[in-house]
Amino acid sequence: MRRAERLIRIVQALREAAPGAVTAHDMGHRFEVSERTIYRDIAHLIGSGAPIDGEAGVGYVLRPGFDLPPLTFSFEQLDALALGARLVKATGDKNLASAANEALAKIEHALPESHRQRLRNVPLFAAFLDETVRPEAFGPVRNAIAGKRKLRVRYQSLADDTTERVIRPLALTCFGRVWLLSAWCELRNDFRHFRTDRVERLTVLAESFEDEPGKRYEDMRRAG
């Protein structure tokens, strides 16, 4: 890890730990450097004006009100952003793909040249598989989840049983080549998962729903 990146991460570690102190030992273990290196880095940050309090052997804290300039990314973070955008373009709908491109363009515009080149040339790719099912109603479902709007769906199961039901959409998850819509099903009065390629018809209803205990996404995760 380059020193410039480590300095940014030290400030971030101090911010995340607030209001507790962080020791040089802990930061050295986290960033895989010696305590002596952390002490030198802290001294450099303080000399550069970072409002850090503390002392060796006790720990360090970052006083409130200090923040890093926006868009200071490490190379690994840029790799993650580029790969994430490429995954969105490979598996999501056209609107999400366009939004991913626009977001990367905004980030790239604000980066220094060395980081801009890194973002452009990340050697990590997400290939689109012909077998991957892109849900045609991806956008409306995403909006229904965000707006907590109920959906009426006509669904054909893998056993070719067709049902019509009202659901509370909770999440969309990509499992390799298929997207699953997780929801609270009012027909079954339980959580259900629907393959989006098996949804024959979908209507976004005017009726909204609230976060009722036992019917939320986190409840579904706890239930397994």
Side-chain angles (χ1 to χ4, degrees), residues 181-196:
L181 168 58
S182 299
W184 175 264
C185 177
E186 297 190 350
L187 176 65
R188 305 303 185 195
N189 198 37
D190 200 356
F191 295 111
R192 288 291 186 271
H193 305 281
F194 306 94
R195 281 183 50 155
T196 56

Side-chain angles (χ1 to χ4, degrees), residues 4-51:
E5 293 181 15
R6 190 173 62 249
L7 293 174
I8 292 172
R9 293 192 180 191
I10 287 174
V11 173
Q12 186 63 35
L14 293 173
R15 183 191 296 115
E16 292 173 352
V22 185
T23 66
H25 173 79
D26 289 341
M27 285 189 283
H29 178 75
R30 177 173 177 176
F31 303 127
E32 299 180 342
V33 295
S34 68
E35 291 183 42
R36 184 182 298 274
T37 296
I38 296 297
Y39 290 140
R40 287 199 296 264
D41 288 345
I42 292 290
H44 177 81
L45 286 167
I46 292 174
S48 299

Side-chain angles (χ1 to χ4, degrees), residues 125-185:
F125 303 96
F128 174 70
L129 300 174
D130 290 340
E131 298 89 346
T132 301
V133 178
R134 293 174 183 254
E136 294 183 6
F138 198 99
V141 172
R142 284 193 291 109
N143 292 332
I145 293 172
K148 299 188 184 301
R149 298 275 296 277
K150 292 184 180 182
L151 300 174
R152 175 175 282 110
V153 297
R154 181 178 175 85
Y155 186 75
Q156 184 179 50
S157 71
L158 293 176
D160 290 330
D161 296 323
T162 301
T163 57
E164 188 163 311
R165 57 186 81 194
V166 174
I167 63 174
R168 301 181 179 195
L170 301 175
L172 279 164
T173 306
C174 185
F175 284 92
R177 298 177 178 177
V178 299
W179 280 92
L180 287 186
L181 168 58
S182 299
W184 175 264
C185 177

Side-chain angles (χ1 to χ4, degrees), residues 75-85 122 124:
F75 280 167
E76 284 188 347
Q77 290 169 340
L78 292 175
D79 288 354
L81 287 170
L83 177 58
V122 171
L124 301 171

Side-chain angles (χ1 to χ4, degrees), residues 81-110:
L81 287 170
L83 177 58
R86 291 167 183 173
L87 284 169
V88 168
K89 289 193 287 185
T91 60
D93 61 57
K94 292 181 179 179
N95 288 339
L96 271 185
S98 177
N101 279 333
E102 291 170 359
L104 280 185
K106 289 181 179 179
I107 293 171
E108 182 180 321
H109 180 73

